Amino acid sequence: MLEVKHIRAHQEEYTQALKKRNFEAEAVFDSILKLDEKRRSTQKQLDEILSESNKLSKEIGMLFKSGEKEKANALKEKTAGLKEDSRRLGESMSQVGTELQALLYQVPNIPHPSVPAGKSEEDNEEIFKEGDIPVLAENALPHWELAKKYDIIDFELGNKITGAGFPVYKGKGARLQRALISYFLDKNVEAGYNEVQVPLLVNEASGYGTGQLPDKEGQMYHVGNDDLYLIPTAEVPITNIYRDDLLTESQLPIQLTGYTPCFRREAGSYGAHVRGLNRLHQFDKVELVNLVKPEESYRVLDDMVEHVKSILRDLKLPYRVLRLCGGDLGFTSALTYDFELFSTAQDRWLEISSVSNFETFQANRLKIRYKDAGKNKALVHTLNGSSLALPRVLAGILENYQTEDGIVIPEVLKPYTGFDKIS
């Protein structure tokens, strides 16, 4: 979330910037600043009362010591009144703090100046495209038909076991899935990322920390008896590793990668565009997370974009990079690049990765700070990206690498799969 001191200093600038997101901030900013003024005024009164109470306590001790019990008891009555005042002010502080927090949670991140204005994905800006789109035979099949033909993914069996959106990978399909996970992790570790394995369930504080709550509560699976959430992305548990931590400058940058299954309700998703692997309730993803000094975050963002490009070059899949417009930008992000690969059999682009810089938006919620060489404390910048989300990558491989006598395995994956073709 935004820091109140920055809202106060840049109210008009932030109000105009948030119009790129089609978010009218003027009224909510006014309410935030009024509540903050009340909070600071109440805190000042509380500090004065506590100071006076401490002073009187010392004086009472001295009076008792000198035998002046009557004066001491009179002052004790006064401290009782001060105690009641401090209790009342403390309750007021708590109430104001809760109201202020609720308002701050409503405000999305300030978009980077390079973010284009726009209302939907139609207004996203294509900034890069690479790779040759293969020419397939006239009888080329979409991946859900290929999966059935070669018995490598069973959507109906998943529906039987759980429900729609929970496929069962079989035989060479399961091995190809495992190969992609291992390859992605190895590629990330080679680039300097430290691999971690994290829980698949998180508590409410973790969800609020990275911004999935309260913004995306409807998309998350909730385990009511334990008040835990199944993760929608590994970003949540990985970034929360450092929640409430004060880091040293020498610890930065922190570069983490991890594989997890991800769970999303995707309520209301239907139609041909969500067939097969295009949209699932459970899917595998390998994630990148960076914690860096503020002045380094946009260089790191560029590095992450180039890293994801290198993966897609290795897989020899046609892809493009989009800069998301304000209307399509995620709630917590300041700047996001989406990667899409071209599915030749479906004749459409499929999103396979988002790489984002959150600046201090997540770190302020998470209270992740670092101490620089001058002993000054500052919030880190957090970034994350998929490298990659597996379902649509797998769909792209099946469709773009299909031949009349089987599906050829990309060269870079053959050491991981142990076979050259699905046939």
Side-chain angles (χ1 to χ4, degrees):
M1 63 189 173
L2 301 179
E3 294 180 81
V4 177
K5 65 181 181 181
H6 290 158
I7 294 174
R8 188 183 305 111
H10 305 283
Q11 184 177 3
E12 182 57 32
E13 177 190 338
Y14 283 4
T15 299
Q16 292 303 315
L18 286 170
K19 288 181 178 179
K20 276 189 178 181
R21 288 182 171 272
N22 310 299
F23 182 88
E24 295 299 328
E26 189 171 356
V28 71
F29 278 168
D30 285 344
S31 297
I32 285 169
L33 294 177
K34 284 177 184 175
L35 279 172
D36 183 57
E37 186 60 41
K38 184 177 179 181
R39 181 190 63 80
R40 291 193 294 163
S41 173
T42 305
Q43 183 68 63
K44 184 180 178 183
Q45 293 177 60
L46 184 58
D47 289 344
E48 288 172 352
I49 286 172
L50 292 174
S51 176
E52 186 177 356
S53 182
N54 289 336
K55 181 180 176 183
L56 287 175
S57 293
K58 290 179 182 178
E59 195 173 337
I60 289 168
M62 292 175 65
L63 288 169
F64 273 122
K65 196 172 183 179
S66 62
E68 299 180 77
K69 292 184 180 180
E70 191 174 331
K71 286 184 179 179
N73 287 327
L75 288 180
K76 281 182 75 176
E77 289 182 15
K78 188 174 181 180
T79 59
L82 291 175
K83 192 173 290 185
E84 173 60 25
D85 288 343
S86 67
R87 184 197 63 77
R88 178 179 51 80
L89 288 170
E91 288 179 354
S92 177
M93 278 283 292
S94 178
Q95 178 63 29
V96 169
T98 299
E99 293 176 17
L100 181 59
Q101 193 90 329
L103 283 176
L104 287 168
Y105 280 150
Q106 294 177 23
V107 183
N109 203 355
I110 304 301
H112 186 267
S114 67
V115 171
K119 295 189 175 182
S120 71
E121 61 183 25
E122 302 299 322
D123 301 312
N124 293 336
E125 179 184 15
E126 182 183 298
I127 61 170
F128 188 82
K129 186 186 287 186
E130 187 174 53
D132 297 324
I133 295 174
V135 178
L136 301 180
E138 287 186 10
N139 61 347
L141 300 174
H143 70 268
W144 54 87
E145 292 186 23
L146 292 166
K148 188 172 185 178
K149 178 180 178 179
Y150 296 110
D151 195 27
I152 53 175
I153 308 171
D154 196 322
F155 297 100
E156 293 177 4
L157 185 56
N159 192 34
K160 170 188 172 182
I161 297 169
T162 307
F166 295 88
V168 174
Y169 298 84
K170 302 164 67 177
K172 287 187 175 180
R175 289 168 65 187
L176 178 55
Q177 181 88 338
R178 178 158 52 93
L180 281 165
I181 293 166
S182 296
Y183 160 66
F184 291 157
L185 286 171
D186 286 350
K187 184 83 172 174
N188 296 345
V189 170
E190 287 170 12
Y193 287 84
N194 185 32
E195 184 179 349
V196 292
Q197 191 173 55
V198 289
L200 305 183
L201 288 158
V202 294
N203 55 31
E204 188 177 68
S206 294
Y208 272 94
T210 45
Q212 277 66 34
L213 296 176
D215 181 52
K216 294 182 174 62
E217 188 168 11
Q219 295 183 24
M220 296 173 72
Y221 287 99
H222 183 229
V223 183
N225 288 345
D226 302 294
D227 197 21
L228 297 173
Y229 293 85
L230 284 165
I231 62 169
T233 167
E235 167 202 346
V236 182
I238 292 177
T239 312
N240 270 277
I241 289 172
Y242 293 94
R243 173 156 46 96
D244 296 322
D245 280 5
L246 177 60
L247 305 169
T248 62
E249 190 171 17
S250 62
Q251 288 178 270
L252 300 176
I254 291 171
Q255 297 179 287
L256 302 173
T257 186
Y259 152 71
T260 64
C262 303
F263 305 87
R264 297 184 188 178
R265 294 183 63 238
E266 300 285 8
S269 296
Y270 59 91
H273 68 289
V274 299
R275 288 194 66 180
L277 297 171
N278 287 350
R279 185 161 297 174
L280 301 175
H281 295 306
Q282 177 182 327
F283 61 95
D284 292 322
K285 184 154 68 85
V286 175
E287 196 77 0
L288 302 173
V289 170
N290 279 277
L291 279 64
V292 302
K293 292 190 290 186
E295 63 269 23
E296 296 177 356
S297 67
Y298 280 95
R299 176 190 60 76
V300 171
L301 180 66
D302 290 342
D303 290 345
M304 292 172 72
V305 168
E306 291 304 315
H307 178 68
V308 176
K309 284 181 182 179
S310 74
I311 294 174
L312 291 165
R313 286 181 186 130
D314 284 354
L315 292 172
K316 294 183 168 55
L317 289 170
Y319 71 94
R320 67 178 182 176
V321 184
L322 305 175
R323 182 188 285 117
L324 297 195
C325 72
D328 200 31
L329 194 63
F331 186 87
T332 54
S333 176
L335 177 61
T336 294
Y337 295 106
D338 267 8
F339 281 75
E340 298 181 339
L341 69 77
F342 192 77
S343 165
T344 310
Q346 297 181 67
D347 192 30
R348 60 191 290 256
W349 293 97
L350 303 175
E351 181 194 335
I352 53 168
S353 175
S354 289
V355 181
S356 303
N357 188 349
F358 306 107
E359 297 187 358
T360 61
F361 195 84
Q362 284 184 334
N364 189 32
R365 289 192 182 199
L366 293 158
K367 299 295 177 263
I368 306 177
R369 300 167 298 157
Y370 77 101
K371 190 182 291 186
D372 64 21
K375 305 299 181 183
N376 300 305
K377 296 175 184 177
L379 293 168
V380 301
H381 278 197
T382 64
L383 305 93
N384 88 282
S386 310
S387 69
L388 295 158
L390 272 79
R392 294 174 183 173
V393 172
L394 185 57
I397 290 172
L398 297 180
E399 293 180 4
N400 290 339
Y401 277 85
Q402 65 179 298
T403 65
E404 291 186 1
D405 61 347
I407 299 162
V408 176
I409 301 300
E411 199 66 35
V412 72
L413 294 179
K414 290 178 183 177
Y416 293 91
T417 59
F419 55 87
D420 297 344
K421 183 181 287 188
I422 297 173
S423 59

